[in-house]
Amino acid sequence: MKRFILVSIVALLCAGILPAEAAKKTVTGTVTCDGVGVAGVVVTDGVNMTKTDAKGAYALPTKVKDPHCQFVHISIPSGYEVERIGNAPQFYKRVNPQVKKQSFDFKLTKVDQSEYSVFAIADTHVTAGRFKWNHKDDTARYRASLAKTLKESVAASRCPVYVVSLGDMTHPGTRPGYKGRTEGYAFKNYMEDTPVDAPIFNSMGNHDHNRPPKGTYFTEETVYQSRADFNKDLGPEYYSFTIGREHFVVVDNLFILTSDSRATRDLNATTGCWYRLCEHQHNWLEKDIAALDRSKIDRIVYVAHAGIFGYSGKPLQLDCERVMNYFKGFEVVALIGHHHADHSQKKRWNDMPFYQFMHPSGAGTGWYTYDNCEGTPAAIAHYSFKDGKIKRTYIPYGDNEGIAHYRVYDNGEHKWHYPITERTGTKVRYEQEVEAAKPDDRPAILVNVWGAYTCEFIESTGGRGRAAKRYFDLQYRDWYWPQLERSNAGEVPEEARLKKAAWQVPKKGYHIWQYIPMDYNAEIRVVAKDVFGNVIADFKARAK
C-alpha cells in the first residue's frame, strides 16, 4: 500500500500536478456540490495544477504577480455544471496581483449528461459599423438572425446544451480602447447580444487579440498582452471541461507577433502571426491531459480558431505533432473556425481516429450576404452526443433559414437561370465558362452538400457516370461579381457596398460535386454522408 501511494505521488509530480497537501498555500479554496466537497477536480492557475482532495479542498503555489497567472480555474468534471451569470459559466476566478494569499470557492450542480448537445458558432465578426470598409451596423443583423436562431434552438433542446464560440467575435479596431477611444463593440457586448439560456465557452480568434505598441512585437513572455481585452471580459484563453465522456480543451492557437491577419511559417519571424500555441499553453495542456482518468473518456474535443491541419490534410499548426502527441490513445475531434468555409476531414493519428470540422462564418460574407464564399450558408453547427456517437447538422438562418442540407443545380426540377453542363462551376466567373463553352458539352448536375464527406450518385437506369468534386457554388458566385461591379459603380447603398477582399472572392468547395451521367435522361438519386457515415442528404435530380 505504501509503495502504491509513493508511486502515485511520483506520477503526479512527474505530470506537474501537485497534491493539495504538498502545495505551498498561496491560493486555496474548495469545490463543492450541494455543500459536499467534490474530490479529484483539476484546478489550475494556468501554470500550476492540482486536484481537490477528498473534502474538495485545493491549494496552489500561485505567483499572484505573474501575469500568466491571472486566473484560477477548474476543469469542470463530467456530470456537473458550474454556476452561470447569464450565459457566462463561472469556472474561473480572477487573481488579485496585490494580495499574496487568496481563497476561491467553486460550486457545482449535478447534471445528467448521458445525452447532450453542443452548438458551435464561428467568425461572427460584429464590427458595429466601425470599420472603414463596413459602414453598416451589423449588430442588428446578428441579434435578429444568429442570436435569435441560437436562442430558439437552445430553448427547444430536451437535453443539456452547451455553446462553443470558435473565435473572431470582434475586431481590435472596433473595441473600446483602440487609439484611446472609449466607445466600441466589446466582448461583453457580444455576450449581451447572445442571450441564450446555456453556458457559452469562448475561444480566441486572430481578430480577438490586441496588437502590440507600434514598432514592437510580442514574445513568449509578453504575448499574454495580446489577450488583454478577451481576458478582461471573457476570462482565461485556455482551459478545459468534461461533458459526459468527452473532454474539451479550449486553446488559443494564434500567436500574434504584430499582425492578426498575416500568418507566417517562419519561426524566426518578428512580424505577422503564427499558427501555434505559446509555451505556457503547452505546459498546461500536457498536464491537463495527463490528469485524465482514461477509463472515463471516449474522446478529446479540441476547440480552437485555426485548423490544426489544412485542407490538404497536412499540418497547418506549426506545433501540430507536439500537440497531437499529448492526445495519444484518444480519438480526437477538432472544432475549428477561421477559414470561413465548411470542410470535414478524417484521418488517423497515433493509430487513433482524428476528425476536424471547419465551420462557415456566422456572418456569411461579412454580413453582406448570408452565404460564405464557397456557398455554405451562415449557420450554427449542432453536435448531438449520445451513446458514444456524434451526429452533426447545420441550422442556417437569415435568407437561408429553413433551407435543407444542400443546394442542387440541374436542368430539371432544380433549374438555374442557365444550362448546367460539364463546364458549369469550373471557373471563378460564369462569363469565363461561356467563353470556353462548346456545342457538345455534356449536361450535368451540380450539388452543394455542406457537412458532406462522401456523395454517391445512382442513375435510375443503372448507368454509372463521372463524379468529381471541388467546384464553385453558383448562387454565391453569380451574386458576388455583379454586386461588386455595382458597388464599384456606386449603384448600391454604402452599407451594402462590397470592396474586393480575398476572403470574399468565390472559392471552390470540398463539398460541391459535379456529376455527368451515363444516361442523360436518367433520374439521379444523390446520397451524401458525413465523416461518421450518417446520411445527411438524400434527394433526386435530373441532368436533362
Side-chain angles (χ1 to χ4, degrees), residues 97-219:
Q98 305 304 319
V99 179
K100 186 175 181 180
K101 292 190 176 183
Q102 301 171 56
S103 182
F104 303 112
D105 297 332
F106 298 88
K107 293 182 180 180
L108 303 177
T109 303
K110 285 187 177 181
V111 179
D112 179 4
Q113 296 173 337
S114 56
E115 177 183 0
Y116 67 93
S117 289
V118 170
F119 291 101
I121 57 177
D123 297 86
T124 51
H125 290 284
V126 177
T127 66
R130 287 183 167 83
F131 254 167
K132 61 183 178 181
W133 46 263
N134 181 6
H135 298 280
K136 59 190 177 301
D137 184 354
D138 41 31
T139 54
R141 293 192 188 188
Y142 176 78
R143 295 176 190 137
S145 56
L146 190 157
K148 175 177 175 290
T149 301
L150 182 61
K151 182 178 181 179
E152 292 171 349
S153 299
V154 168
S157 180
R158 297 181 180 179
C159 60
V161 177
Y162 308 90
V163 179
V164 295
S165 170
L166 302 173
D168 275 5
M169 291 81 79
T170 69
H171 286 262
T174 67
R175 294 195 295 270
Y178 181 72
K179 293 185 177 180
R181 188 177 58 211
T182 57
E183 298 180 348
Y185 194 80
F187 291 109
K188 65 179 181 180
N189 300 124
Y190 142 75
M191 294 291 277
E192 292 165 355
D193 287 340
T194 318
V196 297
D197 187 17
I200 300 179
F201 295 97
N202 297 289
S203 62
M204 286 199 76
N206 50 311
H207 297 306
D208 296 324
H209 289 77
N210 297 73
R211 294 166 180 161
K214 191 173 182 180
T216 66
Y217 63 93
F218 290 129
T219 66

Side-chain angles (χ1 to χ4, degrees), residues 371 375-379 394-409 448 450 475:
D371 288 341
T376 307
Y394 273 141
I395 308 171
Y397 44 83
D399 296 340
N400 292 304
E401 185 173 358
I403 192 174
H405 226 105
Y406 56 88
R407 288 200 192 100
V408 190
Y409 306 97
N448 182 356
W450 36 92
Q475 177 170 299

